Amino acid sequence: MSDFFAGIDRVPFKGPESDDPLAFRFYEPDRMVLGKRMEDHLRMAVCYWHSFAWPGGDPFGGQTFQRPWFGDTMDHARLKAEVAFEMFERLGVPFFTFHDRDIAPEGASLAESNANVCAIAEIFAEKMAATGVGLLWGTANLFSNRRFMAGAATNPDPEVFAYAAAQVKCALDVTHELGGANYVLWGGREGYETLLNTDMKRELDQAGRFLSMVVEYKKKIGFPGTILIEPKPQEPTKHQYDYDVATVFGFLQRFGLEGEVRVNIETGHSVLAGHSFEHEIATAVALGVFGSVDANRNDYQSGWDTDQFPNNVPEMALAIYHILRGGGFSTGGFNFDAKLRRQSLDPVDLIAAHVGGMDVCARGLLAAAAMIDDGGLDAALAERYAGWETPEARAMLESDLAAIAERVERERIDPEPRSGRQERLENWINRFV
C-alpha cells in the first residue's frame, strides 16, 4: 500500500442532506432504477491518463502537479498502478480505462515498450482479481510521440503506419487478456494542418483499411468486446477526419464497418463540434452506433478541450434520457475523461472531483428515469407525429412524387403550421432537474 491517499477512507453514501464533500449524496450502486441497479446503468470508470499521468499543464504553462510516481522507470509505473487501484477502491468504481503509454514507459524499441506494458498488465490482472474492478476499455496512444506528428493510420510515411499497427496489436491483445469490454481508437492526429500537403483521399483510404485491420484482428483473437471510435472535430489538428458522430457514421458506411464499430462520445468534443452532448448521443442512437461515453464538460469560453469534471445536472439528465431511450449501455459506460484544474494540487482533490462527477451522473440518471416514468416527452412526440401513423401517410412513403402531387391537387391539401410547443416542453423538463 502507498500512503498517497492516507487518511481518506472508502467514500460512503450519506444521502442528499449530507454536506460531507467526500460522501455520495445521490450515487447508490445497488439502488434500483427502472428495474436495474444504478451501478449497472452507469458503468462508471476512472481514466488512467488524466488522473495519474497528466502533470497539470495547459497550453500556456507546464507541470504544476508533483506526484511520487512521475518518472520514466518501471518502478514509477508500478507505484502508479498501486495508487490507481487504491483510488478505484476508495471510490467504489466498477471500471477503469487506459492508454498503453499511460501505464508504462516507452522503451528504446517497440518490443521493449510492449514488454513494459505487458508487465504492468500482469499487475493489473492481479489487482483486478483482488478488487473486482474491471476494464471498460483500453487503447493505444498514437499521438504523443513525435513519430505521429503527421498522424498514425493517415501518415504519409508507411513505416509510421506499420509502427502504429504493431502498437495497436499489443494494446488490443492486452485489453483482451484483461477482459476489457471495449477497445477505443481515438484519431488524435488523424487529420490535417493544411490541405497544401495533404492527399485527403489517400489518407481516408489508409484510415479505413487500418480500422478494417483492427476489426479483422479482433475476430482473429476472439475479442468479444466492442471496437469504438471517439469523434473529435479539431485540436490537436486543424481538422480531424472523425469530426462528429455523423461524419464517423459516413466513414464507417464507406468501408462497410457500420455493423462492426460504434462510437465513444465525449461531452467536450461535442461542444467543440458545435453540438450538444445529447445531440451526439441521439444521433448515435438513431444511426445504431451508440457505444460508450466520456463524461466531462467543456469551458464554453475556451477554444480548446478543457476536460473538466461534469457538474451540469440538466445537461447530464438529457444525455442519459437519450441513452435510456436507446436501450442503455451494453458494453459501454461513463468514463471520467476529466482532469483536475492545474491549481487543484492535493490528493483529496482527486477523490472529491470524482465524487462530484459520480453524483452528477447519478442525479442525471434519477431525473431521466423520472422523465421516462412520467411519459410527458413520449406523449408530446406521439401527438406531434400522429399524422404519420395514418394509412395514407405511411403509404405516401412507398409512393412517388407524381402520385403525391396528384393527391394534393385532388384533395386540395393546404396544411397550416402547428406549434412545436418548445417552451412548454422546456418547462416540463425543469420539473425533473
Side-chain angles (χ1 to χ4, degrees), residues 57-90:
D58 67 15
F60 306 101
Q63 179 174 336
T64 59
F65 297 162
Q66 295 179 341
R67 308 300 198 204
W69 58 83
F70 281 178
D72 294 327
T73 71
M74 286 298 289
D75 284 341
H76 288 109
R78 294 185 189 96
L79 175 59
K80 189 192 303 184
E82 189 73 39
V83 172
F85 274 84
E86 288 172 7
M87 191 172 91
F88 303 158
E89 287 191 275
R90 280 168 169 78

Side-chain angles (χ1 to χ4, degrees), residues 175-377:
T175 300
H176 181 34
E177 290 163 8
L178 292 175
N182 310 272
Y183 183 83
V184 170
L185 293 134
W186 177 54
R189 298 191 187 276
E190 309 296 13
Y192 62 81
E193 300 293 342
T194 174
L195 283 172
L196 296 176
N197 63 6
T198 300
D199 183 338
M200 188 183 294
K201 183 180 185 306
R202 180 188 294 273
E203 292 194 1
L204 287 170
D205 287 343
Q206 288 176 204
R209 183 60 195 132
F210 192 98
L211 183 57
S212 296
M213 289 178 181
V214 173
V215 171
E216 291 163 6
Y217 188 68
K218 165 202 164 170
K219 295 179 178 179
K220 179 178 180 180
I221 63 176
F223 175 58
T226 304
I227 302 297
L228 301 171
I229 288 182
E230 182 170 329
K232 189 178 185 183
Q234 61 194 38
E235 192 245 357
T237 61
K238 175 182 178 180
H239 175 87
Q240 292 185 202
Y241 297 135
D242 51 0
Y243 189 93
D244 60 7
V245 170
T247 303
V248 169
F249 182 73
F251 173 84
L252 295 176
Q253 278 193 316
R254 178 183 173 193
F255 294 99
L257 296 170
E258 66 272 21
E260 304 284 354
V261 179
R262 296 190 172 194
V263 289
N264 182 61
I265 302 168
E266 179 177 317
T267 313
H269 296 179
S270 303
V271 172
L272 289 176
H275 304 310
S276 66
F277 189 31
E278 63 265 26
H279 166 86
E280 288 289 83
I281 291 171
T283 301
V285 168
L287 296 174
V289 292
F290 176 72
S292 197
V293 162
D294 275 0
N296 57 25
R297 62 187 167 96
N298 219 58
D299 188 320
Y300 292 96
Q301 293 176 290
S302 298
W304 64 86
D305 194 2
T306 56
D307 286 324
Q308 294 168 254
F309 277 87
N311 72 352
N312 188 323
V313 174
E315 179 181 77
M316 189 60 72
L318 287 172
I320 294 178
Y321 177 86
H322 286 288
I323 291 172
L324 294 177
R325 298 304 291 153
F329 290 116
S330 53
T331 59
F334 273 100
N335 173 52
F336 287 107
D337 186 5
K339 58 194 177 190
L340 296 176
R341 299 303 87 191
R342 65 199 305 264
Q343 297 179 49
S344 299
L345 305 176
D346 299 334
V348 69
D349 295 327
L350 200 50
I351 300 291
H354 283 87
V355 168
M358 293 169 75
D359 258 354
V360 165
C361 289
R363 289 186 70 187
L365 173 65
L366 295 173
M371 286 189 276
I372 288 174
D373 279 338
D374 181 273
L377 281 186

